[in-house]
Amino acid sequence: MKSQEARQLFKLVRNISFPSYAMRAPSSNDWCARKRSGYTRFAFYWPSGEPCVPVEMYLDHRAAELTSDADRGGSLRAEASAISHIVRYCAQEKIRFREINDADFSAFTDSLVIERGTRRDGWSARGANAVNSIISVSIRFLFWYQRQFDLSQPLVGTVDDDDARILLMRQKIKHFTGRMIEALAYPDRPQSEPPVPKSPLPDKHIKRLWEAASAPQTQCKRSILPESSSATSARDLQREYLYRRRIVTLMIMEETGLRPGELCLMKCQPHINILSSRNLHIPTLKRREGPPFVRTLPCSLELASAIKQLLTARENFLRSLSIRPRALAEEHEILFIDIRGAAMRASSLEREFSRLRARAGITKPDRACFSMYRHRFLSRRAAFYIKAFRLENCDPNTGGLPFTDDTMILGRLVELTGRKTLASLRPYIDLGWKELDVFTSIDSAIASDDAIRSAIHRLNQLCIEIANTGDKIKAHRILLEVDEITKRLVELKNAFQRTAASKPSG
């Protein structure tokens, strides 16, 4: 067990109820409370295990501005994690929040800088940007604390404020929109470092992930199916569904770059006729207000076929379960389910991807993750759009695209991601230029490029299936599918040649 000093100070609480208002019944003259439910909040504790009520109140206040999904807690979890440091410091020094002064806060920031990590000996536990983020959250909390409670002396303020315990200075900073704004900042903070964005997922890692996903699974490690004469076929249905789920995960991440939480919200009903519609219906989690809106994106025929096979495998797998998990799955209609019929969580999907990454021999998590799929997808799309909107006098070495064309490209990327602002997508313009410098086949149409890549993945899967099957009928069916995909690749190749011959070079 972890010691009191090392354990996590907060816990995610789901499906809680808050008092909303009270109502009195005229007939009985009795009062009853009306409650609102469905919120996700955090219970927060001191290292001793006692409830830390001020921080819980602060997090409830911040929940109106931050996301707090029921799976992992969203950005509200990051706020709770950052504020844990000032709570630990106060508990260690045996001081209350209202007693913190400038010397205490300076010692607190110094401890953040000099603390060493446990996984890499001699290295700092966190970078300068992480330290600055913790300082900003702590200052925000102390501002809220002095407004919420009647203090005889303010905790934070500038030299103009009377007797402020912690002095801040006014600084001009660059807002994420690009304009300069004035803000209060703690003077004794480390110099910020330029962020190092994750690179797009390379082709060599994608190939290794496909090989690991397509390899046959000899056994099912976890199963709720009983040991009986019919258990073998039932476990085969479970194994088939898990296999199809892995394949769809890799294909849909490569074609859409969606977030794991969005994948876990996709429903079955909108995709029943996906072979004819060839459209994906993806909820977006990037916006905070209201329920997630659903964006529609086209998909390749190979992905549509894989989702159709997943729907069939899901239905067959559910028939092998008992009545209760089957009814649960029919109620929520989520495409991705776990072995108990419940809707799969994003954290579970990430753990499954971690196991797949380990089987692929990719040892470091920062070399293959879901966000790198998204960077790859958006970088390639930016490269396509740059090529389409590029003007004759456009040179990436002298400023890139004209501003109007830059905005048009970012607008297209916003449609694909569901984001509200263009500024957060601007780094993909530079990544798009890098893609144009690396890939010589960038003139190909997006749909044809996705179709060829998906067809190649499917051919690799079929080759592995042929090598691991002793059933002649199944092998014959697989060979027929290989023949169909080969014909499709020939058609795409001819289409590329006709396109290249009809367009002038340059």
Side-chain angles (χ1 to χ4, degrees), residues 427-467:
Y428 292 106
I429 298 295
D430 295 332
L431 291 175
W433 281 112
K434 292 181 180 179
E435 291 284 322
L436 287 173
D437 293 337
V438 173
F439 296 102
T440 58
S441 59
I442 205 68
D443 293 323
S444 307
I446 293 177
S448 298
D449 177 79
D450 289 340
I452 290 177
R453 190 170 61 256
S454 299
I456 291 174
H457 289 328
R458 184 56 186 155
L459 279 175
N460 292 334
Q461 297 172 51
L462 292 174
C463 291
I464 295 175
E465 291 182 18
I466 292 175

Side-chain angles (χ1 to χ4, degrees), residues 329-470:
E330 291 174 354
E331 180 180 356
H332 57 64
E333 289 189 344
I334 297 296
L335 181 63
F336 273 29
I337 58 176
D338 60 18
I339 59 177
R340 292 175 175 81
M344 196 171 186
R345 296 187 180 276
S347 55
S348 301
L349 187 62
E350 290 173 348
R351 284 194 295 270
E352 183 179 83
F353 185 79
S354 298
R355 292 191 290 268
L356 179 64
R357 181 178 59 224
R359 289 201 301 269
I362 305 173
T363 56
K364 294 185 178 180
D366 58 349
R367 292 185 178 178
C369 60
F370 281 131
S371 60
M372 294 177 70
Y373 267 111
R374 186 158 57 254
H375 296 328
R376 173 188 172 88
F377 168 73
L378 292 175
S379 300
R380 292 174 67 87
R381 287 302 171 93
F384 283 121
Y385 297 145
I386 288 173
K387 189 69 174 178
F389 291 125
R390 186 170 57 183
L391 304 180
E392 292 182 359
N393 60 349
C394 182
D395 184 359
N397 296 321
T398 58
L401 289 173
F403 180 75
T404 52
D405 294 320
D406 201 348
T407 304
M408 292 173 65
I409 293 173
L410 293 174
R412 296 295 300 273
L413 296 181
V414 164
E415 295 175 3
L416 296 175
T417 60
R419 298 192 184 188
K420 295 176 65 176
T421 62
L422 305 181
S424 60
L425 293 168
R426 196 167 295 278
Y428 292 106
I429 298 295
D430 295 332
L431 291 175
W433 281 112
K434 292 181 180 179
E435 291 284 322
L436 287 173
D437 293 337
V438 173
F439 296 102
T440 58
S441 59
I442 205 68
D443 293 323
S444 307
I446 293 177
S448 298
D449 177 79
D450 289 340
I452 290 177
R453 190 170 61 256
S454 299
I456 291 174
H457 289 328
R458 184 56 186 155
L459 279 175
N460 292 334
Q461 297 172 51
L462 292 174
C463 291
I464 295 175
E465 291 182 18
I466 292 175
N468 292 279
T469 185

Side-chain angles (χ1 to χ4, degrees), residues 244 248 268 271-276 301-315 335:
R244 296 297 173 187
V248 169
C268 297
H271 301 98
I272 296 296
N273 300 318
I274 191 170
L275 285 176
S276 57
L301 179 61
E302 287 71 26
L303 177 55
S305 177
I307 292 179
K308 191 67 177 178
Q309 291 173 331
L310 175 65
L311 288 170
T312 303
R314 180 183 184 274
E315 184 178 356
L335 181 63

Side-chain angles (χ1 to χ4, degrees), residues 48-118:
S48 63
E50 298 178 8
C52 187
V53 178
V55 174
E56 288 186 350
M57 295 173 61
Y58 169 74
L59 293 175
D60 185 57
H61 165 74
R62 288 287 289 164
E65 305 172 10
L66 303 175
T67 59
S68 55
D69 62 87
D71 185 16
R72 302 183 65 180
S75 54
L76 189 61
R77 182 188 184 92
E79 191 93 353
S81 177
I83 208 172
S84 298
H85 299 277
I86 189 71
V87 174
R88 291 185 191 278
Y89 178 82
C90 290
Q92 178 183 340
E93 300 299 323
K94 295 181 174 56
I95 58 175
R96 297 184 296 175
F97 294 132
R98 64 176 64 238
E99 298 171 347
I100 299 176
N101 56 32
D102 197 66
D104 294 324
F105 202 80
S106 178
F108 164 64
T109 57
D110 289 342
S111 66
L112 295 175
V113 174
I114 65 177
E115 183 181 354
R116 299 299 170 185
T118 56

Side-chain angles (χ1 to χ4, degrees), residues 459-505:
L459 279 175
N460 292 334
Q461 297 172 51
L462 292 174
C463 291
I464 295 175
E465 291 182 18
I466 292 175
N468 292 279
T469 185
D471 189 340
K472 293 184 178 181
I473 297 178
K474 183 178 180 180
H476 179 68
R477 176 185 61 79
I478 294 174
L479 288 174
L480 291 177
E481 188 174 351
V482 170
D483 185 59
E484 290 296 324
I485 295 177
T486 304
K487 292 179 181 178
R488 178 172 174 78
L489 286 173
V490 172
E491 293 176 358
L492 290 170
K493 176 184 176 182
N494 294 335
F496 272 127
Q497 291 176 345
R498 289 193 299 269
T499 302
S502 60
K503 290 185 177 182
S505 60

Side-chain angles (χ1 to χ4, degrees), residues 194-231:
V196 181
K198 289 184 179 178
S199 59
L201 191 64
D203 289 334
K204 62 179 181 179
H205 287 346
I206 291 181
K207 181 180 179 181
R208 294 168 70 175
L209 289 170
W210 272 104
E211 291 173 350
S214 303
Q217 301 296 307
T218 56
Q219 61 181 358
C220 186
K221 294 183 179 180
R222 296 189 306 161
S223 178
I224 61 171
L225 301 175
E227 293 284 355
S228 63
S229 58
S230 61

